[in-house]
């Protein structure tokens, strides 16, 4: 079931033509949140007053003004590591409890200008570090498809909010799979755009060379529409590539070559997920595409490379949370250094502390060459693997995760097992290429996604194929 059982574009048309009001949509969304959020815990903050006020403003606009807004009246959820002016933004951390940004992220400015209405900020693993949403200072998120299972992470709140029909669209962020993996676990669609397509201005940084904001929704069409809104030129992010995404009609995949990386279909992949991906291969062939085997010889090092680079960047990015400028400050301290120490000890959770320590270690003199520099070199090899593979195919098809969502608590005591669930997603971030997860099947009632990846700026072709398999 999806929000209003129709596409976002259809709902927008209804608002524009006056058959439904933005106020009615917001009430529907708030009622669903009131009914389900206590159990699912998808939202950290629900901004009912702001949403109702904005709906009134939208409903008061002229038909002509509404006609230019491609998300006119659509209730939307925003991951709580994306800054929203005047609305608490915690990044899932105690250290940012009560912090209200004085500005909107670029992607937030864009969705608001397009007529979307933010109804709340969604739960996440603290600072987007996690694969299960069990690392949030605001409690775990439950998978709406089975409330004993994790929703995936770190954008688990956004995925659960869409899957539980509280909103039709959400923004997430993906550093190593955090949009695609929860989308897969909750049975929705999620896109990680090419690095540089969506501005990171206002995204609370985890690992800046990997982070991208992206759309999450019920269908490929809905996500394509949201991508066309959030992609674009922003001089406030120096890594923004000044590209746009145009939401054109889908094209055929006839004659397109779909690469199947041999390394992604070996050991570790469960038979059930393999069978689901096999069905999608057949669908693409039926639509006129050709399957080819490709090789990514260095991806076996992707997890190790990712966790060195991501933690190194995180250790640097998180140094700004010191009790001086944002959020929490420890009481009763005796000196500045003591205040820094106590604030960070109280404010950060276990996983974040672990990653700051690991990142500081791999960057420290004496270890830098052995770990960080080596990881940066392997990252280049992985990027080249994809460049070579894309000489032989237009797109890559793969699983999103080796298995469906695991049960809450199942992997918390084994971080290596937890990190290994990211095996098929982290490489796209290391290489800067786009990836999408689309619902592909079910195992024991739990959804399983299929992933498509494309060369940089190949979103259009990727979505054409995603439409076929969705
Ligand atoms: N699970 C990965 C990590 O913990 C990815 C997180 C993300 O994409 N934000 O780092």
């Amino acid at each position: 079931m999806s929000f209003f059982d129709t596409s976002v574009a259809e709902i927008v048309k209804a608002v524009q033509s006056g058959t439904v009001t933005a106020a009615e949509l917001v009430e529907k969304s708030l009622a669903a949140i009131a009914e389900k959020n206590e159990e699912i815990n998808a939202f950290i903050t629900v901004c009912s007053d702001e949403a109702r006020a904005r709906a009134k403003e939208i409903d008061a606009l002229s038909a002509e003004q509404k006609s230019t807004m491609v998300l006119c009246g659509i209730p939307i959820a925003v991951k709580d590591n994306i800054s929203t002016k005047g609305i608490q933004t915690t990044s899932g951390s105690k250290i940012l409890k009560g912090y209200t940004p004085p500005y909107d992220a670029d992607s937030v400015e864009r969705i608001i200008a397009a007529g979307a209405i933010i109804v709340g900020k969604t739960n996440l693993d603290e600072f987007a570090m996690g694969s299960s949403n069990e690392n949030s200072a605001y409690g775990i998120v439950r998978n709406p498809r089975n409330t004993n299972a994790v929703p995936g992470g770190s954008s688990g709140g956004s995925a659960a909010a869409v899957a539980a029909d509280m909103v039709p669209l959400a923004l997430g962020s993906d550093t190593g799979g955090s949009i695609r993996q929860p989308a897969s676990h909750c049975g929705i669609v999620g896109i990680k755009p090419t690095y540089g397509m969506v501005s990171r201005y206002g995204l609370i940084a985890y690992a800046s060379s990997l982070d991208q904001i992206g759309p999450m929704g019920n269908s490929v069409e809905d996500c394509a529409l949201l991508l066309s809104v959030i992609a674009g030129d922003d001089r406030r992010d120096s890594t923004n590539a000044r590209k746009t995404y145009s939401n054109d009609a889908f094209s055929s995949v006839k004659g397109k070559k779909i690469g199947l990386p041999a390394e992604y279909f070996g050991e570790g992949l469960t038979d059930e997920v393999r069978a689901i991906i096999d069905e999608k291969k057949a669908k693409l062939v039926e639509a006129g595409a050709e399957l080819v085997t490709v090789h990514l010889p260095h991806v076996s090092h992707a997890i190790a490379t990712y966790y060195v680079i991501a933690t190194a960047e995180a250790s640097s990015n998180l140094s700004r949370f010191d009790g001086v400028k944002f959020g929490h400050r420890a009481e009763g301290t005796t000196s500045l250094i003591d205040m820094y120490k106590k604030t960070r000890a109280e404010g950060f959770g276990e996983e974040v502390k672990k990653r700051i320590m690991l990142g500081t270690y791999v960057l420290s003199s004496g270890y830098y060459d052995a770990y960080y520099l080596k990881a940066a070199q392997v990252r280049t090899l992985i990027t080249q693997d994809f460049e070579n593979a894309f000489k032989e195919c237009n797109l890559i098809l793969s699983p999103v995760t080796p298995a469906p969502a695991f049960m809450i608590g199942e992997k918390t005591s084994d971080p290596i097992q937890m990190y290994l669930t990211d095996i098929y997603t982290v490489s796209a971030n290391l290489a800067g290429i786009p990836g999408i997860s689309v619902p592909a099947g079910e195992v024991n009632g739990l959804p399983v996604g299929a992933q498509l990846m494309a060369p940089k700026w190949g979103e259009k072709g990727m979505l054409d194929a995603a439409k076929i398999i969705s």
Side-chain angles (χ1 to χ4, degrees):
M1 196 178 74
S2 64
F3 199 86
F4 258 26
D5 288 327
T6 177
S7 69
V8 168
E10 288 298 321
I11 306 175
V12 168
K13 263 192 222 153
V15 179
Q16 287 169 336
S17 66
T19 12
V20 69
T21 63
E24 285 168 328
L25 294 173
V26 163
E27 290 311 324
K28 181 178 161 81
S29 171
L30 293 175
I33 295 171
E35 185 195 328
K36 301 172 191 167
N37 196 51
E38 203 180 330
E39 182 179 21
I40 305 291
N41 200 25
F43 287 88
I44 293 176
T45 303
V46 180
C47 25
S48 327
D49 294 347
E50 292 88 344
R52 287 188 173 118
R54 180 68 183 142
K56 247 192 196 161
E57 279 173 20
I58 296 216
D59 286 330
L61 296 175
S62 69
E64 201 189 337
Q65 285 168 314
K66 287 183 200 163
S67 71
T68 61
M69 297 175 148
V70 298
L71 295 177
C72 192
I74 296 296
I76 192 166
V78 175
K79 187 175 179 181
D80 209 23
N81 61 349
I82 301 175
S83 302
T84 41
K85 188 174 176 178
I87 298 170
Q88 176 181 244
T89 300
T90 67
S91 209
S93 183
K94 193 176 153 194
I95 210 160
L96 281 179
K97 193 169 195 296
Y99 166 64
T100 53
Y103 63 94
D104 280 324
D106 181 69
S107 50
V108 169
E109 285 178 358
R110 287 174 188 272
I111 57 172
I112 292 174
I117 302 172
I118 298 170
V119 291
K121 303 294 300 287
T122 52
N123 208 339
L124 67 155
D125 286 301
E126 186 175 357
F127 288 105
M129 298 176 186
S131 313
S132 67
N133 233 296
E134 293 167 298
N135 296 336
S136 168
Y138 301 86
I140 56 168
V141 177
R142 291 179 182 274
N143 189 322
R145 299 288 297 270
N146 174 345
T147 51
N148 293 319
V150 301
S154 62
S155 311
S158 287
V162 173
D165 220 18
M166 301 183 198
V167 281
L169 278 179
L171 286 181
S173 72
D174 191 311
T175 304
S178 278
I179 287 176
R180 291 159 288 157
Q181 190 252 24
S184 174
H185 284 352
C186 291
I188 64 158
V189 177
I191 303 174
K192 178 208 106 64
T194 304
Y195 184 77
M197 180 171 264
V198 179
S199 170
R200 290 182 296 107
Y201 177 75
L203 171 67
I204 295 175
Y206 164 14
S208 313
S209 77
L210 303 161
D211 298 339
Q212 268 294 284
I213 294 173
M216 304 179 83
N218 289 306
S219 67
V220 176
E221 287 92 331
D222 289 357
C223 287
L225 176 60
L226 181 52
L227 182 61
S228 72
V229 171
I230 59 175
D233 185 353
D234 183 22
R235 311 294 161 104
R236 296 168 297 188
D237 168 5
S238 61
T239 60
N240 180 265
R242 303 180 185 173
K243 300 256 189 191
T244 53
Y245 179 74
S246 147
N247 187 27
D248 300 328
F250 292 105
S251 312
S252 150
V253 296
K254 215 176 182 126
K256 293 276 190 271
K257 289 190 174 157
I258 311 291
L260 305 165
E263 294 79 3
Y264 278 9
F265 290 92
E267 215 184 309
L269 179 63
T270 56
D271 292 342
E272 294 89 344
V273 174
R274 187 191 306 274
I276 287 170
I277 305 297
D278 282 346
E279 281 170 29
K280 297 302 164 188
K281 286 185 205 166
K283 269 211 155 175
L284 287 164
V285 170
E286 222 173 86
E290 189 190 325
L291 303 178
V292 294
T293 300
V294 294
H295 288 280
L296 302 168
H298 299 94
V299 290
S300 55
H301 304 298
I303 291 279
T305 305
Y306 169 82
Y307 277 97
V308 170
I309 290 176
T311 55
E313 293 187 21
S315 72
S316 164
N317 276 326
L318 270 58
S319 63
R320 75 193 65 181
F321 302 107
D322 55 8
V324 177
K325 307 174 220 62
F326 315 89
H328 179 73
R329 176 181 297 176
E331 302 279 334
T333 54
T334 53
S335 67
L336 183 64
I337 299 292
D338 189 40
M339 191 278 283
Y340 288 159
K341 279 189 187 164
K342 281 205 176 120
T343 296
R344 287 167 69 84
E346 288 173 11
F348 290 136
E350 288 307 305
E351 184 67 22
V352 172
K353 284 179 188 158
K354 188 163 69 190
R355 294 192 189 199
I356 291 173
M357 283 193 278
L358 185 59
T360 308
Y361 178 78
V362 299
L363 286 175
S364 58
S365 118
Y367 295 105
Y368 178 90
D369 289 358
Y371 297 111
Y372 184 75
L373 187 63
K374 183 68 85 193
Q377 288 165 337
V378 179
R379 179 180 192 173
T380 304
L381 294 174
I382 291 171
T383 306
Q384 286 169 353
D385 280 359
F386 279 97
E387 283 165 5
N388 290 334
F390 285 127
K391 286 180 189 150
E392 282 157 40
C393 64
N394 303 96
L395 298 167
I396 285 176
L397 173 70
S398 82
V400 183
T401 57
F406 44 91
M407 295 301 127
I408 291 166
E410 194 182 320
K411 291 194 200 289
T412 33
S413 59
D414 191 346
I416 304 286
Q417 277 307 313
M418 184 78 93
Y419 295 171
L420 280 173
T421 63
D422 301 336
I423 194 140
Y424 305 122
T425 50
V426 294
S427 299
N429 303 72
L430 291 169
I433 61 172
I436 182 170
S437 171
V438 288
E442 277 184 15
V443 178
N444 299 331
L446 281 169
V448 169
Q451 174 172 233
L452 284 159
M453 290 179 277
K456 283 186 178 173
W457 320 116
E459 274 83 353
K460 175 68 179 64
M462 183 176 86
L463 297 189
D464 290 338
K467 172 79 187 130
I468 303 284
I469 61 170
S470 65

